[in-house]
């Protein structure tokens, strides 16, 4: 069973394995999606261990949903709050530029997004102004430093870009955010916190759906056999 399937079968139904029984038995406020995010944040913190030295807020980028959605979740475990923002993925992960991430890569020069856990490091001033360095913690993203995969601001990641084009623009594999959203990220997600990226396809009701399943939900009801062969009658 791969990791994504494991998440579907455990987190979406409660994800209680990593929690003490006394805690898991207590009801938690919030939406079904938020409860999944809380559990996922705790599981990834446990997996990362001591390399994460600030454990109050976890960033979870869900590249399993379209870039027009608020899919970058800031999970505040101390306050039990979730704030969600827009985030761009890489050009190499979306060559059709349709807003859907197709593939991940950890290869330098791929301009693709990498999945896995990151630790956020210090701020620095680079090509995109103030940015946040990231250290990849998994074999799927351990070239992040060499690839200059960072968090930064970008005009193509502004919500207004969605209003015009129906999707965000693409990065070179970095986590690009709009101006105001990046300011929030600087204050809440830098300096030794965990950032986790994967294709979850997480919905408001807590389900994790594939791209095909999400597109199916957007389609109008299909006619049944009688309606199909007797158009205009119904």
């Amino acid at each position: 069973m791969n990791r994504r399937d494991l998440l579907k079968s455990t987190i979406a139904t409660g994800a209680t394995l990593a929690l003490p029984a006394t805690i898991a038995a207590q009801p938690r406020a919030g939406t079904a999606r938020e409860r999944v995010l809380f559990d996922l944040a705790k599981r990834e913190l446990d997996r990362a261990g001591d390399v994460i030295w600030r454990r109050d807020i976890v960033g979870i980028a869900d590249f399993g949903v379209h870039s027009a959605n608020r899919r970058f979740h800031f999970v505040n475990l101390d306050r039990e709050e979730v704030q969600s923002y827009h985030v761009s993925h890489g050009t190499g992960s979306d060559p059709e530029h349709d807003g859907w991430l197709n593939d991940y890569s950890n290869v330098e020069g791929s301009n693709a997004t990498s999945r896995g856990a990151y630790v956020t490091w210090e701020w620095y001033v680079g090509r995109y102004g103030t940015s946040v360095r990231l250290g990849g913690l998994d074999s799927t993203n351990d070239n992040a430093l060499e690839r200059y995969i960072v968090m930064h601001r970008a005009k193509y990641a502004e919500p207004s870009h969605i209003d015009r084009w129906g999707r965000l623009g693409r990065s070179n594999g970095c986590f690009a955010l709009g101006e105001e959203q990046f300011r929030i990220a600087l204050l809440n997600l830098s300096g030794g916190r965990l950032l986790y990226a994967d294709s979850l396809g997480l919905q408001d009701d807590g389900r994790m759906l594939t791209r095909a399943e999400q597109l199916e939900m957007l389609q109008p009801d299909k006619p049944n056999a009688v309606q199909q062969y007797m158009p205009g009658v119904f």
Side-chain angles (χ1 to χ4, degrees), residues 16 19 21-31 35 38-39 42 80:
T16 60
L19 301 175
T22 55
I23 297 178
Q26 298 175 359
R28 181 186 289 119
T31 67
R35 290 193 294 270
F38 291 140
D39 288 332
K42 289 183 178 182
E80 290 196 343

Side-chain angles (χ1 to χ4, degrees), residues 119-134:
V119 57
T120 64
W121 286 340
E122 76 281 3
W123 306 1
Y124 75 100
V125 178
R127 177 182 176 184
Y128 297 100
T130 303
S131 304
V132 179
R133 298 187 198 276
L134 301 174

